[in-house]
Amino acid sequence: MAKHIEFSSIGGPEVLQYCEFTPRAPADNEVQVENRAIGINYIDTYIRSGLYPPAQLPSGLGTEAAGIVTKVGSAVTTIKVGDRVVYAQSTLGAYSEVHNVAESKVAVLPDTISFEQAAASFLKGLTVYYLLRRTYKIQSGEPFLFHAAAGGVGLIACQWAKALGAKLIGTVGSEEKVQRAKDAGAWQVINYNCENIVERIYEITNGEKVGVVYDSVGKSTWLHSLDCLKRHGLMVSFGNASGPVTGVDLGILNQKGSLFVTRPSIAGYISTREELDEASKELFDLIASGKINVDVPENQKFSLSEAIRAHQILESRTTQGSSLLIP
């Protein structure tokens, strides 16, 4: 027997249940991982709340964790029992002491990176990888706008941009978060609770605006983001923290400068073994070199049984950087 988190109805954090289950043997193409640290991601709240409903209920939750391989399926060739691994994009159920994961979603973890560092950074780091390196290839010296710069994805983006020599302009909601983003490598930071985002972008860029905006906030920032883009600029919408963007009038893209819009996801850019290996190597190299620091504050580490509290705090938008569940 093992413990995991499941939910039988969609709703708020209170629907999460901590209970026992019997792990099944891994399928031919799967490995079984004894999780040592579990990543908490905002998309987990979308699934739990029904914005991205699970295929069936009851359902497990979570797609990212790091741990040790305890069993392998008969067709597994690249992973062996005892390997230190990290995974993302798994089937739902990573909020668990034990989880079965497709071999194609698992990366072997270098000894220089801890389980907590890996679980705090893998999905978020792969997200930053496809955003900055694939969806739009950020160049050295290039200014761009990145919303929620003090969040889990945002802080990694600040550090990655600095490593690339790019000029990340971040938005945050408090002076404390302004400093956190600056410390992580943001070139400029806008506090949207006391500054006008569009006006500040004009000031920072001397009226030129930016060529790309990365927006995980969604509904509340959609129009502001478009107004920050120069002619032929690209709007990259990759999240819905304030609610989904709906009822889009395509004509507005023409009116604001023949803009482009994309709604990418990690699965659209990292879907093969080769793509995962390339992305994870670049991320691991940056972490190992110290260019990306993903240490998690002690007050953002929760026991597996505290998943409800972890979600409540995450949705309050008071966290900075990544949060973890520890089995």
Side-chain angles (χ1 to χ4, degrees):
M1 299 294 285
K3 295 289 185 66
H4 74 166
I5 297 295
E6 68 174 26
F7 60 109
S8 299
S9 60
I10 60 174
E14 68 280 356
V15 302
L16 300 179
Q17 299 173 307
Y18 179 61
C19 51
E20 283 192 336
F21 78 111
T22 302
R24 62 171 176 80
D28 291 348
N29 66 337
E30 291 180 331
V31 301
Q32 188 168 96
V33 182
E34 181 183 281
N35 290 333
R36 299 298 177 84
I38 301 161
I40 304 173
N41 295 285
Y42 219 92
I43 193 172
D44 301 341
T45 70
Y46 299 161
I47 294 166
R48 185 213 70 224
S49 67
L51 181 60
Y52 298 164
Q56 61 183 31
L57 292 171
S59 172
L61 191 60
T63 60
E64 174 188 40
I68 296 175
V69 175
T70 55
K71 296 178 182 179
V72 299
S74 60
V76 171
T77 59
T78 62
I79 306 293
K80 64 183 185 300
V81 171
D83 278 350
R84 301 173 72 252
V85 298
V86 61
Y87 60 87
Q89 298 176 271
S90 73
T91 55
L92 291 176
Y95 284 20
S96 179
E97 294 176 341
V98 177
H99 190 41
N100 293 340
V101 189
E103 178 187 17
S104 61
K105 303 299 183 185
V106 174
V108 175
L109 192 59
D111 291 338
T112 53
I113 299 174
S114 71
F115 293 123
E116 290 190 2
Q117 286 177 311
S121 68
F122 199 53
L123 184 59
K124 299 174 184 70
L126 295 183
T127 298
V128 174
Y129 168 84
Y130 84 73
L131 290 172
L132 303 191
R133 307 294 283 153
R134 290 291 178 263
T135 305
Y136 178 100
K137 199 158 189 176
I138 292 293
Q139 301 298 313
S140 177
E142 180 176 14
F144 65 98
L145 179 61
F146 202 104
H147 288 293
V153 172
L155 287 176
I156 292 176
C158 289
Q159 296 174 82
W160 207 313
K162 183 179 180 180
L164 293 172
K167 297 179 176 180
L168 183 147
I169 305 168
T171 68
V172 299
S174 70
E175 286 306 308
E176 181 184 5
K177 290 185 176 183
V178 167
Q179 192 58 50
R180 183 74 185 260
K182 285 183 177 179
D183 290 344
W187 176 56
Q188 299 279 348
V189 185
I190 300 167
N191 182 345
Y192 57 75
N193 279 322
C194 59
E195 297 178 285
N196 182 288
I197 294 172
V198 179
E199 290 178 1
R200 286 290 292 128
I201 288 292
Y202 267 74
E203 292 171 4
I204 292 167
T205 64
N206 295 317
E208 292 187 9
K209 301 190 279 188
V210 296
V212 61
V213 174
Y214 296 100
D215 190 341
S216 63
V217 178
K219 184 178 181 180
S220 67
T221 51
W222 166 252
L223 290 177
H224 296 308
S225 293
L226 297 182
D227 286 334
C228 291
L229 286 166
K230 62 176 66 174
R231 188 166 62 108
H232 303 165
L234 174 64
M235 168 66 174
V236 182
S237 176
F238 70 102
N240 313 280
S242 68
V245 176
T246 59
V248 176
D249 175 10
L250 291 179
I252 201 171
L253 303 179
N254 174 49
Q255 296 164 18
K256 293 183 180 295
S258 295
L259 304 177
F260 295 87
V261 176
T262 185
R263 184 64 168 84
S265 69
I266 191 171
Y269 285 90
I270 305 173
S271 60
T272 67
R273 180 81 247 175
E274 293 74 22
E275 289 168 342
L276 178 62
D277 288 344
E278 179 180 351
S280 59
K281 182 182 187 306
E282 189 163 340
L283 173 63
F284 293 158
D285 286 349
L286 287 168
I287 295 173
S289 69
K291 292 179 179 178
I292 289 181
N293 182 334
V294 288
D295 291 337
V296 177
E298 287 301 318
N299 66 350
Q300 289 177 209
K301 297 177 185 177
F302 305 89
S303 69
L304 183 59
S305 61
E306 294 180 297
I308 290 176
R309 180 166 166 261
H311 272 225
Q312 289 171 336
I313 293 174
L314 180 65
E315 290 183 302
S316 73
R317 300 181 74 171
T318 58
T319 60
Q320 296 182 27
S322 300
S323 299
L324 295 174
L325 294 173
I326 308 297

